[in-house]
Amino acid sequence: MAATDESMGTRIYKSRITQRTVWILGFTRFIHIIDRMINLSWYIIMLYIHIFSVVLSIGPYFVLFPLLALIRRAPFESLPDYLEPFRITVRLTKHAGHVLVATGILLTWITAWSWKTSWIVATVLIMVASLYFIARAFSPLLRQLKAPHEDRNFLVNKLRKALILYVIITLAMMWFMVSKPTIW
């Protein structure tokens, strides 16, 4: 009997170790899953903020196209009212661009993408070009339209070309970010 009691004690002890091991391994796995969900959640949050800032960087410019016809016909006294949405759009785009860049840096840091990846390099190069373009294209034209001028149609046509070019530039950046082509 003593041998049976001893072996029962050993079996009970072994089953407790097994149960603890299973519980610890299960708890560790649970913690690992929660940790991955937290990391995934930060990634998803950053991704949605990044996408929303892209929408804010591109979307408002499409609203400005119908405004160009109104600017052509508006009397000079009411022209500042029609130019105000352009100024607001440029300012909104600038701040959305700051969020876009910050979240892009964080997303590149969080994920396994390298800064030498071809689509990231192309996007950054296009972004730098668009910054230069937006600074040189819209603000001087808006200032010229606010001041007394001779040929409003010429300035509005220039503004329209700048608007189309900026939309093409930002859509090119968006294409690189979405399709992620391998160039090299």
Side-chain angles (χ1 to χ4, degrees), residues 124-144:
V124 169
L125 290 175
I126 293 172
M127 183 184 61
V128 169
S130 73
L131 292 174
Y132 178 75
F133 176 77
I134 198 168
R136 306 245 326 139
F138 292 109
S139 298
L141 280 173
L142 294 176
R143 276 194 300 271
Q144 287 176 350

PDB file of all heavy atoms in Angstrom, residues 124-144:
ATOM      1  N   VAL A 124       8.981  60.037 -51.183  1.00  0.00           N
ATOM      2  CA  VAL A 124       9.648  61.162 -50.506  1.00  0.00           C
ATOM      3  C   VAL A 124      10.124  62.189 -51.530  1.00  0.00           C
ATOM      4  O   VAL A 124       9.968  63.402 -51.326  1.00  0.00           O
ATOM      5  CB  VAL A 124      10.803  60.652 -49.619  1.00  0.00           C
ATOM      6  CG1 VAL A 124      11.663  61.800 -49.126  1.00  0.00           C
ATOM      7  CG2 VAL A 124      10.257  59.854 -48.444  1.00  0.00           C
ATOM      8  N   LEU A 125      10.680  61.730 -52.644  1.00  0.00           N
ATOM      9  CA  LEU A 125      11.143  62.657 -53.677  1.00  0.00           C
ATOM     10  C   LEU A 125       9.975  63.454 -54.265  1.00  0.00           C
ATOM     11  O   LEU A 125      10.073  64.674 -54.453  1.00  0.00           O
ATOM     12  CB  LEU A 125      11.889  61.917 -54.783  1.00  0.00           C
ATOM     13  CG  LEU A 125      13.259  61.351 -54.399  1.00  0.00           C
ATOM     14  CD1 LEU A 125      13.840  60.533 -55.550  1.00  0.00           C
ATOM     15  CD2 LEU A 125      14.206  62.460 -54.001  1.00  0.00           C
ATOM     16  N   ILE A 126       8.876  62.781 -54.539  1.00  0.00           N
ATOM     17  CA  ILE A 126       7.698  63.474 -55.068  1.00  0.00           C
ATOM     18  C   ILE A 126       7.140  64.437 -54.023  1.00  0.00           C
ATOM     19  O   ILE A 126       6.719  65.550 -54.347  1.00  0.00           O
ATOM     20  CB  ILE A 126       6.624  62.469 -55.527  1.00  0.00           C
ATOM     21  CG1 ILE A 126       7.130  61.684 -56.735  1.00  0.00           C
ATOM     22  CG2 ILE A 126       5.330  63.172 -55.877  1.00  0.00           C
ATOM     23  CD1 ILE A 126       6.231  60.541 -57.145  1.00  0.00           C
ATOM     24  N   MET A 127       7.172  64.039 -52.753  1.00  0.00           N
ATOM     25  CA  MET A 127       6.675  64.904 -51.688  1.00  0.00           C
ATOM     26  C   MET A 127       7.501  66.176 -51.586  1.00  0.00           C
ATOM     27  O   MET A 127       6.959  67.276 -51.446  1.00  0.00           O
ATOM     28  CB  MET A 127       6.677  64.169 -50.352  1.00  0.00           C
ATOM     29  CG  MET A 127       6.116  64.992 -49.222  1.00  0.00           C
ATOM     30  SD  MET A 127       6.237  64.162 -47.649  1.00  0.00           S
ATOM     31  CE  MET A 127       7.988  63.954 -47.499  1.00  0.00           C
ATOM     32  N   VAL A 128       8.819  66.056 -51.676  1.00  0.00           N
ATOM     33  CA  VAL A 128       9.685  67.242 -51.627  1.00  0.00           C
ATOM     34  C   VAL A 128       9.382  68.153 -52.816  1.00  0.00           C
ATOM     35  O   VAL A 128       9.290  69.377 -52.673  1.00  0.00           O
ATOM     36  CB  VAL A 128      11.172  66.820 -51.588  1.00  0.00           C
ATOM     37  CG1 VAL A 128      12.090  68.008 -51.805  1.00  0.00           C
ATOM     38  CG2 VAL A 128      11.488  66.139 -50.264  1.00  0.00           C
ATOM     39  N   ALA A 129       9.187  67.558 -53.982  1.00  0.00           N
ATOM     40  CA  ALA A 129       8.836  68.343 -55.170  1.00  0.00           C
ATOM     41  C   ALA A 129       7.485  69.033 -54.981  1.00  0.00           C
ATOM     42  O   ALA A 129       7.314  70.194 -55.370  1.00  0.00           O
ATOM     43  CB  ALA A 129       8.807  67.454 -56.408  1.00  0.00           C
ATOM     44  N   SER A 130       6.528  68.341 -54.372  1.00  0.00           N
ATOM     45  CA  SER A 130       5.211  68.949 -54.172  1.00  0.00           C
ATOM     46  C   SER A 130       5.271  70.085 -53.160  1.00  0.00           C
ATOM     47  O   SER A 130       4.530  71.069 -53.291  1.00  0.00           O
ATOM     48  CB  SER A 130       4.182  67.909 -53.746  1.00  0.00           C
ATOM     49  OG  SER A 130       4.376  67.508 -52.417  1.00  0.00           O
ATOM     50  N   LEU A 131       6.130  69.971 -52.158  1.00  0.00           N
ATOM     51  CA  LEU A 131       6.290  71.068 -51.194  1.00  0.00           C
ATOM     52  C   LEU A 131       6.814  72.318 -51.884  1.00  0.00           C
ATOM     53  O   LEU A 131       6.333  73.425 -51.660  1.00  0.00           O
ATOM     54  CB  LEU A 131       7.224  70.657 -50.057  1.00  0.00           C
ATOM     55  CG  LEU A 131       6.709  69.585 -49.117  1.00  0.00           C
ATOM     56  CD1 LEU A 131       7.798  69.176 -48.138  1.00  0.00           C
ATOM     57  CD2 LEU A 131       5.488  70.074 -48.378  1.00  0.00           C
ATOM     58  N   TYR A 132       7.803  72.129 -52.718  1.00  0.00           N
ATOM     59  CA  TYR A 132       8.351  73.248 -53.480  1.00  0.00           C
ATOM     60  C   TYR A 132       7.281  73.809 -54.413  1.00  0.00           C
ATOM     61  O   TYR A 132       7.106  75.027 -54.514  1.00  0.00           O
ATOM     62  CB  TYR A 132       9.579  72.787 -54.275  1.00  0.00           C
ATOM     63  CG  TYR A 132      10.180  73.863 -55.139  1.00  0.00           C
ATOM     64  CD1 TYR A 132      10.934  74.882 -54.573  1.00  0.00           C
ATOM     65  CD2 TYR A 132       9.973  73.862 -56.513  1.00  0.00           C
ATOM     66  CE1 TYR A 132      11.473  75.887 -55.357  1.00  0.00           C
ATOM     67  CE2 TYR A 132      10.510  74.852 -57.310  1.00  0.00           C
ATOM     68  CZ  TYR A 132      11.260  75.859 -56.734  1.00  0.00           C
ATOM     69  OH  TYR A 132      11.788  76.841 -57.519  1.00  0.00           O
ATOM     70  N   PHE A 133       6.562  72.932 -55.059  1.00  0.00           N
ATOM     71  CA  PHE A 133       5.535  73.343 -56.012  1.00  0.00           C
ATOM     72  C   PHE A 133       4.420  74.119 -55.327  1.00  0.00           C
ATOM     73  O   PHE A 133       4.002  75.175 -55.801  1.00  0.00           O
ATOM     74  CB  PHE A 133       4.968  72.123 -56.737  1.00  0.00           C
ATOM     75  CG  PHE A 133       3.839  72.470 -57.649  1.00  0.00           C
ATOM     76  CD1 PHE A 133       4.082  73.058 -58.880  1.00  0.00           C
ATOM     77  CD2 PHE A 133       2.531  72.226 -57.267  1.00  0.00           C
ATOM     78  CE1 PHE A 133       3.039  73.390 -59.719  1.00  0.00           C
ATOM     79  CE2 PHE A 133       1.486  72.553 -58.109  1.00  0.00           C
ATOM     80  CZ  PHE A 133       1.743  73.134 -59.332  1.00  0.00           C
ATOM     81  N   ILE A 134       3.913  73.604 -54.202  1.00  0.00           N
ATOM     82  CA  ILE A 134       2.786  74.264 -53.540  1.00  0.00           C
ATOM     83  C   ILE A 134       3.199  75.634 -53.002  1.00  0.00           C
ATOM     84  O   ILE A 134       2.403  76.572 -53.009  1.00  0.00           O
ATOM     85  CB  ILE A 134       2.173  73.378 -52.438  1.00  0.00           C
ATOM     86  CG1 ILE A 134       0.775  73.868 -52.086  1.00  0.00           C
ATOM     87  CG2 ILE A 134       3.013  73.340 -51.198  1.00  0.00           C
ATOM     88  CD1 ILE A 134      -0.018  72.911 -51.236  1.00  0.00           C
ATOM     89  N   ALA A 135       4.434  75.764 -52.576  1.00  0.00           N
ATOM     90  CA  ALA A 135       4.899  77.055 -52.073  1.00  0.00           C
ATOM     91  C   ALA A 135       5.026  78.072 -53.215  1.00  0.00           C
ATOM     92  O   ALA A 135       4.774  79.259 -53.026  1.00  0.00           O
ATOM     93  CB  ALA A 135       6.237  76.893 -51.370  1.00  0.00           C
ATOM     94  N   ARG A 136       5.421  77.612 -54.381  1.00  0.00           N
ATOM     95  CA  ARG A 136       5.638  78.522 -55.505  1.00  0.00           C
ATOM     96  C   ARG A 136       4.401  78.713 -56.382  1.00  0.00           C
ATOM     97  O   ARG A 136       4.341  79.665 -57.140  1.00  0.00           O
ATOM     98  CB  ARG A 136       6.779  78.002 -56.374  1.00  0.00           C
ATOM     99  CG  ARG A 136       8.045  77.743 -55.610  1.00  0.00           C
ATOM    100  CD  ARG A 136       9.220  78.547 -55.916  1.00  0.00           C
ATOM    101  NE  ARG A 136       9.354  78.925 -57.300  1.00  0.00           N
ATOM    102  CZ  ARG A 136       9.748  80.138 -57.650  1.00  0.00           C
ATOM    103  NH1 ARG A 136      10.030  81.015 -56.747  1.00  0.00           N
ATOM    104  NH2 ARG A 136       9.888  80.440 -58.921  1.00  0.00           N
ATOM    105  N   ALA A 137       3.438  77.839 -56.299  1.00  0.00           N
ATOM    106  CA  ALA A 137       2.318  77.884 -57.246  1.00  0.00           C
ATOM    107  C   ALA A 137       1.120  78.660 -56.712  1.00  0.00           C
ATOM    108  O   ALA A 137       0.637  79.570 -57.379  1.00  0.00           O
ATOM    109  CB  ALA A 137       1.897  76.469 -57.611  1.00  0.00           C
ATOM    110  N   PHE A 138       0.637  78.315 -55.546  1.00  0.00           N
ATOM    111  CA  PHE A 138      -0.647  78.857 -55.117  1.00  0.00           C
ATOM    112  C   PHE A 138      -0.550  80.229 -54.454  1.00  0.00           C
ATOM    113  O   PHE A 138      -1.296  81.141 -54.817  1.00  0.00           O
ATOM    114  CB  PHE A 138      -1.352  77.861 -54.186  1.00  0.00           C
ATOM    115  CG  PHE A 138      -1.790  76.621 -54.894  1.00  0.00           C
ATOM    116  CD1 PHE A 138      -1.160  75.415 -54.664  1.00  0.00           C
ATOM    117  CD2 PHE A 138      -2.822  76.661 -55.807  1.00  0.00           C
ATOM    118  CE1 PHE A 138      -1.559  74.277 -55.327  1.00  0.00           C
ATOM    119  CE2 PHE A 138      -3.239  75.530 -56.483  1.00  0.00           C
ATOM    120  CZ  PHE A 138      -2.595  74.332 -56.235  1.00  0.00           C
ATOM    121  N   SER A 139       0.321  80.376 -53.499  1.00  0.00           N
ATOM    122  CA  SER A 139       0.368  81.638 -52.749  1.00  0.00           C
ATOM    123  C   SER A 139       0.641  82.855 -53.635  1.00  0.00           C
ATOM    124  O   SER A 139      -0.073  83.858 -53.532  1.00  0.00           O
ATOM    125  CB  SER A 139       1.398  81.540 -51.621  1.00  0.00           C
ATOM    126  OG  SER A 139       1.011  80.527 -50.733  1.00  0.00           O
ATOM    127  N   PRO A 140       1.652  82.825 -54.524  1.00  0.00           N
ATOM    128  CA  PRO A 140       1.862  84.003 -55.387  1.00  0.00           C
ATOM    129  C   PRO A 140       0.669  84.291 -56.305  1.00  0.00           C
ATOM    130  O   PRO A 140       0.306  85.454 -56.502  1.00  0.00           O
ATOM    131  CB  PRO A 140       3.101  83.638 -56.209  1.00  0.00           C
ATOM    132  CG  PRO A 140       3.797  82.599 -55.429  1.00  0.00           C
ATOM    133  CD  PRO A 140       2.717  81.859 -54.700  1.00  0.00           C
ATOM    134  N   LEU A 141       0.048  83.253 -56.829  1.00  0.00           N
ATOM    135  CA  LEU A 141      -1.115  83.456 -57.704  1.00  0.00           C
ATOM    136  C   LEU A 141      -2.293  84.059 -56.937  1.00  0.00           C
ATOM    137  O   LEU A 141      -2.992  84.936 -57.446  1.00  0.00           O
ATOM    138  CB  LEU A 141      -1.540  82.143 -58.347  1.00  0.00           C
ATOM    139  CG  LEU A 141      -0.733  81.693 -59.553  1.00  0.00           C
ATOM    140  CD1 LEU A 141      -1.153  80.307 -59.994  1.00  0.00           C
ATOM    141  CD2 LEU A 141      -0.901  82.680 -60.682  1.00  0.00           C
ATOM    142  N   LEU A 142      -2.496  83.590 -55.736  1.00  0.00           N
ATOM    143  CA  LEU A 142      -3.595  84.135 -54.933  1.00  0.00           C
ATOM    144  C   LEU A 142      -3.337  85.592 -54.580  1.00  0.00           C
ATOM    145  O   LEU A 142      -4.256  86.416 -54.570  1.00  0.00           O
ATOM    146  CB  LEU A 142      -3.804  83.286 -53.679  1.00  0.00           C
ATOM    147  CG  LEU A 142      -4.296  81.857 -53.925  1.00  0.00           C
ATOM    148  CD1 LEU A 142      -4.363  81.075 -52.624  1.00  0.00           C
ATOM    149  CD2 LEU A 142      -5.638  81.863 -54.625  1.00  0.00           C
ATOM    150  N   ARG A 143      -2.082  85.929 -54.284  1.00  0.00           N
ATOM    151  CA  ARG A 143      -1.730  87.331 -54.010  1.00  0.00           C
ATOM    152  C   ARG A 143      -1.961  88.199 -55.246  1.00  0.00           C
ATOM    153  O   ARG A 143      -2.463  89.315 -55.151  1.00  0.00           O
ATOM    154  CB  ARG A 143      -0.279  87.438 -53.548  1.00  0.00           C
ATOM    155  CG  ARG A 143      -0.087  87.188 -52.071  1.00  0.00           C
ATOM    156  CD  ARG A 143       1.279  87.633 -51.608  1.00  0.00           C
ATOM    157  NE  ARG A 143       2.372  86.944 -52.274  1.00  0.00           N
ATOM    158  CZ  ARG A 143       2.912  85.811 -51.858  1.00  0.00           C
ATOM    159  NH1 ARG A 143       2.473  85.253 -50.760  1.00  0.00           N
ATOM    160  NH2 ARG A 143       3.887  85.246 -52.524  1.00  0.00           N
ATOM    161  N   GLN A 144      -1.577  87.680 -56.412  1.00  0.00           N
ATOM    162  CA  GLN A 144      -1.782  88.438 -57.646  1.00  0.00           C
ATOM    163  C   GLN A 144      -3.261  88.642 -57.945  1.00  0.00           C
ATOM    164  O   GLN A 144      -3.668  89.709 -58.424  1.00  0.00           O
ATOM    165  CB  GLN A 144      -1.119  87.731 -58.825  1.00  0.00           C
ATOM    166  CG  GLN A 144       0.382  87.809 -58.830  1.00  0.00           C
ATOM    167  CD  GLN A 144       0.985  87.009 -59.979  1.00  0.00           C
ATOM    168  OE1 GLN A 144       0.290  86.261 -60.659  1.00  0.00           O
ATOM    169  NE2 GLN A 144       2.291  87.171 -60.175  1.00  0.00           N
TER     170      GLN A 144
END
